[in-house]
Amino acid sequence: MPRLVIVDVDKCVGCMSCMFACSRRFGEGGLAKSAIHVSSIGGVERGFKVVVCRACENPPCAAVCPTNALVRREGGGVVLNPSKCVGCGNCARACPIGAVQWDYESMKPIICVHCGYCVNYCPYGVLSLSR
Ligand code: SF4
Ligand code: SF4
């Protein structure tokens, strides 16, 4: 199964096109539903940090889910079953790189599904889908 990879973070200009694209998967404008997160590491000159699921083979987020709402995905990472999720937030706290974003509307995690939709919206080739 393919997975999203960060090819060259130094090329990121912080335009957040990837975040807008990811949110749009749900027909939403804005940034609130994005599974990928871009932030400045201290001014434009120092660059940006791109945080997204690294598709762990043994995902710590799934290990701490009390309801098995996160199941391991073939090729790494996890798949969320929202109907099982009780919104405890354990998964978000367990991710060592902070890649589990939070949906404050549903009070459930936003999990990257490695669809690659964001890749085509990055004008600088920061992202790629590895097969
Ligand atoms: S927030 Fe949902 S998916 Fe995350 S650990 Fe809790 S029950 Fe599982
Ligand atoms: S691969 Fe898909 S789910 Fe993951 S950050 Fe990109 S658009 Fe969002």
Side-chain angles (χ1 to χ4, degrees):
M1 294 270 275
R3 65 187 184 96
L4 181 68
V5 290
I6 299 168
V7 182
D8 188 354
V9 72
D10 291 338
K11 289 184 179 165
C12 178
V13 300
C15 68
M16 296 181 178
S17 291
C18 56
M19 291 181 66
F20 283 109
C22 186
S23 272
R24 274 201 305 278
R25 293 179 306 134
F26 308 99
E28 299 266 346
L31 302 167
K33 305 283 181 181
S34 179
I36 186 167
H37 195 262
V38 177
S39 60
S40 167
I41 51 174
V44 172
E45 281 157 30
R46 288 186 56 199
F48 295 88
K49 184 169 71 169
V50 180
V51 176
V52 72
C53 174
R54 300 289 167 91
C56 308
E57 282 185 22
N58 288 306
C61 53
V64 296
C65 178
T67 61
N68 293 323
L70 294 170
V71 293
R72 285 169 65 168
R73 171 186 171 273
E74 193 187 326
V78 291
V79 176
L80 173 69
N81 180 343
S83 67
K84 283 189 170 179
C85 175
V86 294
C88 67
N90 284 0
C91 51
R93 287 186 289 273
C95 178
I97 61 164
V100 174
Q101 306 300 330
W102 197 252
D103 183 339
Y104 288 94
E105 205 176 334
S106 67
M107 295 307 282
K108 290 177 184 178
I110 303 172
I111 303 289
C112 175
V113 296
H114 299 273
C115 63
Y117 186 66
C118 52
V119 172
N120 294 328
Y121 287 90
C122 175
Y124 298 97
V126 174
L127 307 168
S128 175
L129 202 62
S130 125
R131 292 181 191 274

